[in-house]
Amino acid sequence: MTNSELNRLKDKAFQGFGIFCTLIGLVVLAIFLLNILIDGLGRIDWNFLNNLPSRRAERAGIYTAWIGTLWVLVLSSLIAFPLGISAGIYLEEYGKKNRLASFLEVNISNLAGVPSIIYGLLGLEIFARMMALGGSLLAGSLTLALLVLPIIIVTTRESIKAVPRSIRDASYALGASKWQTTWYQVLPASFGGILTGVILALSRAVGEAAPLIVIGALAYVPFAPSSPMDEFTVLPIQIFNWISRPQAAFATNAAAAIIILLFITFMLNGIAVYLRNKWQKKVKW
Amino acid sequence: GPTYDENADFTLEGDISIDGSSTVYPITEAVAEEYRYVAPNVRTTIGVSGSGGGFKKFSRGEIDISNASRSIKEGEAEAAHENGIDYIELSVAYDGLTIVVNPKNTWAKDITVAELKMLWEPAAQNKITRWNQVRPEWPNRPINLYGAGVESGTYDYFTEAIVGKSHASRGDFTASEDDNVLVQGVSGDINALGFFGYAYYEENKAQLKAIPVDDEDESNGKGPILPSLESIKDGSYAPLSRALFLYVSSKAIKKPQVVRFMDFYFENAGPLSREVGFIPLPDEKYKHEHEKFKQFVAKHTISATTGGNTDTTKIAQ
Amino acid sequence: MRVQEKIIEGLLWLSAVITILVTVGIIWVLLSESLTFFEEVSIVDFLTDTQWTPLFADKHFGILPLVAGTMLTTAIAIAVALPIGLTIAIYLNTYAPPAFRATIKPMLEILATIPTVVYGFFALTVVTPFLQSFIPNLAGFNSLSAGMVMGIMIIPMISSLSEDAISAVPKSLREGAYGMGATKFQTAFGVLVPAASSGILVSIILAISRAVGETMLVAIAAGQQPRLTANPLVPIETITTYIVQVSLGDVPHGSLEYRTIFAAGLTLFVFTFTLNNISFWIRKKYQEKYD
Amino acid sequence: MSKKNYKLEAKSLNAYYGNFHALKDINIAMEEKAVTAFIGPSGCGKSTFLRTLNRMNDYIDGFRVEGEILLDNRDIYGKDVRVDELRKEVGMVFQKPNPFPKTIFENVVYGLRIQGIKDKRVLAETAETSLRQTALWDEVKDKLDKSALALSGGQQQRLCIARALAISPSVILMDEPTSALDPISTAKIEELIYELKKDYTIVIVTHNMQQAGRVSDQTAFFYMGELVEFSKTKIMFTSPKHERTQNYITGRFG
Amino acid sequence: MSKKNYKLEAKSLNAYYGNFHALKDINIAMEEKAVTAFIGPSGCGKSTFLRTLNRMNDYIDGFRVEGEILLDNRDIYGKDVRVDELRKEVGMVFQKPNPFPKTIFENVVYGLRIQGIKDKRVLAETAETSLRQTALWDEVKDKLDKSALALSGGQQQRLCIARALAISPSVILMDEPTSALDPISTAKIEELIYELKKDYTIVIVTHNMQQAGRVSDQTAFFYMGELVEFSKTKIMFTSPKHERTQNYITGRFG
Ligand SMILES: Nc1ncnc2c1ncn2[C@@H]1O[C@H](COP(=O)(O)OP(=O)(O)OP(=O)(O)O)[C@@H](O)[C@H]1O
Ligand SMILES: Nc1ncnc2c1ncn2[C@@H]1O[C@H](COP(=O)(O)OP(=O)(O)OP(=O)(O)O)[C@@H](O)[C@H]1O
Ligand SMILES: [Mg+2]
Ligand SMILES: [Mg+2]
Ligand SMILES: O=P([O-])([O-])[O-]
């Protein structure tokens, strides 16, 4: 009887602990966001978005950083999306279940787990040095493109897999070729899922600083890049730079820039979730 | 978009690339930032690779101007000449290497050069790890060291002045080219002791405590001396005061935006170096350095005339 | 028409095969630079020397201090994330109402989407000062606060993946235990967790791999001083931080310094590669078991 | 119904999954140390009813019961009843054998372990007794420390019964315990049920009319959530009162 | 077999899924503009055979055929045959209606579009003709630009037939086209099949004996991969040659 009571006690205790742990995660998240909001929200204004970097915290802005971020997003999308989606299509629709296919699968799962800084080293040696792109936007975008490639491939495969066999059958039966079937039926039907993956990939890319630092992106770039060969900085690097300045006013700037960065990240994730839900609701096979 | 000075020269275009000393960085950054209002279409980038890193790039011709907190070394100079680069050294401000501890540190009120040597020399590595090993009155608690990275002029200067041999020190300390990291380290660590340029101390006085240094040499001031405007200027803050330099290459001055930048530098270095926490040179010294630069420019324009294509020379004249 | 099909298939094939090139590229870059490095530095020194001072006059090339720093932050992160993450997984799976689980899981996953510089800022400006209020000896840069914040960051990796694994345990086992009079607690720890152990293990390994490769957080908050220590209160340096630190100085190509970051990178890669492969292998095996 | 003492009784029992009314006003009383069979077409509520007898449905979202279920005249849905205690009294065997992925020994003594019994001798003795009761002892005594998953389906099911017996319940609920088994294993289990009813009250859900006929003393026929007929098995199978029962038993529908 | 000209013929056809021998030495000849029904118990190979008739099984890993299938006396597994051309000749309708998640109009003209036909007039005309043929025109003519997924199951299936007709095949294969539909929709489709056989050769797989009886001219009975019997539907349903056929048709097994 005492044993049984003890068991029930343990059960209750663990339930309490479970709630506690779940809340810890959320509470820390809340404290964290609140802290940053309190620190940085007051600093955000039109000038902050529009000013060039400065030695004076009050005068410094994130103009070059967010333009750089935008450039990097666009360029790496242009590189990674076609590649990643094509590779996903190949693996799901074309790749026979042979040695190569299973090797590719292991390989992609491995790439997904390679730390981002290693991609930085790859970019440094191949893009920055061998291809002599230096610390340019193009070198950075290529590096980030490779970094997010596995994410795009995996989500593309998942969403293609979700397209029912019957749609492919119907298309083949009407005389469509494999590519026609893929292009006219499979891709449109899996578009939502692919887009979700692509946006998640973007939200990953937008927060990366380490690989860009390795390839040599600079902190003090007092002009907005205007071509892929220009030097650049991005929001996370600007934040890193401000964080490492000891003066409190720069910490305020960092908090403000973090709010902008988080806003972008959350917005991208929000769009992804929204698209996923919308697509799931709309397409019921 | 950003706003500009009313006299801004929009016709001036092109890049200026600067790299090198983190100590000099704040002045050059300030100058570059002000220069932006004057020449909005010139793109100035400033890296922070340390004086050594800067010279490496400078002698390969990768950058126009090198910030330096020490003079160029023989090897570096040779490398530059091999690459056909002539250069000029220009002083821009004075600095006093400052020894700092955490403000909560109540025991370290001064320190001698001998103690610093004992603490920083290579033999100290993994041996001198507690405060009371440096001076027995100090508490028995760990000592965490923060100092300039090995590519930096500060490191060279410090090891030379304290240890007695350039580039020789213990290796178990937080070494960063970025002095901000050091400031942050010391300001957050009660057991810390660090050194870096005076400007970084000035900027972050609230989070740091400078300790006076005694070189036990009565000839240049008695007892422990704190770095300050006066003690650095009058040389009593020995052996840790020094001059800061810019190196400009002969190739760079072919670019009008660089020449204009240097002119602007000397016109404004006094107030700006004060603003960011350095000790300005006397006015006549700035004039002198500016003159030196002008002669350097003239020399290279003339040598281009005699040795080069006549057509372009005529236009230049 | 047929030719076009072939060309398209070829292009798609090429895109897929590029992923192999990426891997080959990574391995080649790391190896070729490291090989030159090991011509100058003996591999025995690299693996056994207890000092890492490649930039100083008295050069030592022992990777151990960097590895120790990496292990220390990882261990702290896992020590935080494992109990919390696993508890959350079990709680959400066996105790929480389904509607609650459905909202909480994605909310927790937000933690994993926040850029890591942001966590670095948090560790440095909030957690460290907070911890210093009762650990006066805590240095401004330290592995304790970096590790703890990293632990928070990887909670969702463990909680989500483990919850998936626990959900995949056949319902009949759960009912078997309940039918014997087991409490939820006993069912969870006596039956579900052991049965889902491979999935949980995978989640832990992936979390470790993530922690080992994490860069900005530790670069900001854990310090830049390579030292062979298990003391979480002092500044240390991880492999990733070293690479960032050297990169910030903009290293000249071809120097020994330049090569050290590749040797460090190779070490890091070997770790994460091994971990990822173990988890891939467990996952494959585990799938077969339930099929 | 007479004022006799029954082991298990349901009184005006209604059960719902959300809005779906799964059991409609069930009244039934089962005798001690007898085998009661539940039969009826798929989806008629047999399992639902069986699982309310040890409150296994408690964990299903939206499930609720009205009315009473009396075990030894005590309402098992009463406020002071503890589910874990109840389950020790009312054991359960499922359709698919569900041994835990542990050793054979650990499976048998699982119920004791969770009660906190640690005495090795007690555990070993109980394990042997239970395994002997299920005629499994001779087959497994040399591999008690091997995984239970390595046993055949029939052996696994007998192990699950042994596991249920080890905590000495007085009632054993079985939900189609042989439907996943081959005929030989089925025969063994049926034999076992016959043995067990000397000491236990057994309730068994089955789709197999022959099985119901062979093992049970009384049979309850459910249809669409209602208890259509409940009587001695012999009577039900020879002269059912309702036409539906007749049709179902002779295989004309379901 | 006489030297008559058949639309579709299989000669010594064997088919395998890996090692599994799914079709065993099938010999059959189907007449033009007639409806042939395939019947037989689940898993006997009806669908497999139907799908070899337009090589839909080509994409299944490990599937292979031996023997010949002649369409208008030409082996469709011949080297010079192009699958896409073949499929334009031999249309197919599936068990579950599978419209594309596009508009009704785009569904009907899909076959034309992939042939590269862009002329709006041609597309519109073909769409109308096909939809009229399947008696769908009046029901959908006002919502051609609405999603096909919004149609009822029966309408969707007729849309799928219209889609197949739009590329003017000469043969239409139907794999249990009504099994997912309600009786009224089923009746409409059967009616449609009756209409279509004026112009098309139709092969239909069905589990519904009544349907086979109603719509087909000839019936083939398969059993475990073999073609047991093939004859005029009337004859098969009144005096089957084999006992198995008899048993199957009267519902005694399968
Ligand atoms: N978890 C649930 N949620 C909602 N409805 C349920 C649930 N479980 C069972 N039902 C419904 O309750 C009714 C009775 O189900 P039950 O499982 O008791 O039938 P059964 O007689 O045991 O059938 P079978 O012979 O197939 O096991 C069925 O209509 C079923 O769909
Ligand atoms: N893709 C496949 N791989 C392996 N075997 C298959 C595959 N498709 C079908 N089979 C096997 O081939 C045999 C014939 O299958 P088929 O689908 O042709 O039967 P069917 O007569 O159409 O049955 P049903 O009436 O259920 O549709 C079956 O035993 C089936 O298991
Ligand atoms: Mg310096
Ligand atoms: Mg420096
Ligand atoms: O000024 P330094 O960065 O060279 O020390």
Side-chain angles (χ1 to χ4, degrees), chain C residues 32-256:
Chain C
S32 64
E33 291 290 342
S34 300
L35 283 180
T36 333
F37 173 79
F38 286 122
E39 279 167 14
E40 287 171 69
V41 176
S42 108
I43 194 151
V44 177
D45 283 353
F46 183 72
L47 295 178
T48 58
D49 195 334
T50 56
Q51 293 177 45
W52 177 259
T53 56
L55 311 178
F56 289 92
D58 178 23
K59 293 191 188 313
H60 287 274
F61 297 94
I63 192 76
L64 285 177
L66 295 185
V67 172
T70 305
M71 291 301 157
L72 188 56
T73 47
T74 302
I76 295 168
I78 296 297
V80 169
L82 181 59
I84 297 183
L86 200 55
T87 303
I88 292 177
I90 293 170
Y91 171 74
L92 287 182
N93 184 274
T94 46
Y95 290 87
F100 183 73
R101 173 173 58 213
T103 43
I104 290 296
K105 237 179 137 179
M107 275 175 74
L108 281 172
E109 278 162 14
I110 294 179
L111 284 171
T113 64
I114 296 175
T116 60
V117 269
V118 182
Y119 278 107
F121 179 75
F122 186 53
L124 187 71
T125 62
V126 180
V127 178
T128 296
F130 173 70
L131 290 175
Q132 275 171 334
S133 62
F134 41 91
I135 314 177
N137 256 343
L138 185 69
F141 300 126
N142 62 79
S143 48
L144 183 62
S145 96
M148 282 173 55
V149 172
M150 182 145 70
I152 301 280
M153 180 177 90
I154 57 180
I155 283 176
M157 284 191 81
I158 294 188
S159 66
S160 278
L161 291 178
S162 296
E163 207 273 322
D164 292 346
I166 294 173
S167 302
V169 174
K171 195 168 147 232
S172 64
L173 282 187
R174 191 185 296 253
E175 296 205 317
Y178 287 151
M180 303 290 298
T183 60
K184 288 184 169 184
F185 179 76
Q186 289 170 326
T187 306
F189 284 94
V191 176
L192 300 181
V193 169
S197 56
S198 47
I200 293 174
L201 198 62
V202 166
S203 80
I204 297 169
I205 294 174
L206 289 179
I208 293 176
S209 165
R210 171 80 191 271
V212 165
E214 176 46 42
T215 307
M216 294 318 287
L217 203 175
V218 285
I220 291 169
Q224 307 190 354
Q225 183 178 348
R227 68 166 120 192
L228 195 56
T229 180
N231 180 357
L233 306 182
V234 296
I236 48 96
E237 182 159 52
T238 66
I239 301 178
T240 50
T241 304
Y242 176 74
I243 299 174
V244 165
Q245 183 196 354
V246 173
S247 303
L248 281 171
D250 221 2
V251 226
H253 180 63
S255 59
L256 185 62

Side-chain angles (χ1 to χ4, degrees), chain D residues 17 20 22 40-49 60 175-176 205 207:
Chain D
Y17 292 109
F20 177 69
S42 190
C44 66
K46 305 179 294 291
S47 301
T48 303
F49 185 42
I60 293 175
D175 196 347
E176 304 188 37
V205 170
H207 266 154

Side-chain angles (χ1 to χ4, degrees), chain E residues 13-14 26 32 73 93 97 114 139 153 209 243:
Chain E
L13 189 82
N14 285 280
I26 307 288
E32 198 164 2
N73 290 318
V93 176
I114 59 169
E139 292 165 48
M209 292 309 106
E243 201 191 325

Side-chain angles (χ1 to χ4, degrees), chain A residues 206-226:
Chain A
V206 92
E208 283 292 345
L212 299 179
I213 289 175
V214 174
I215 66 158
L218 287 172
Y220 183 78
V221 183
F223 53 85
S226 57

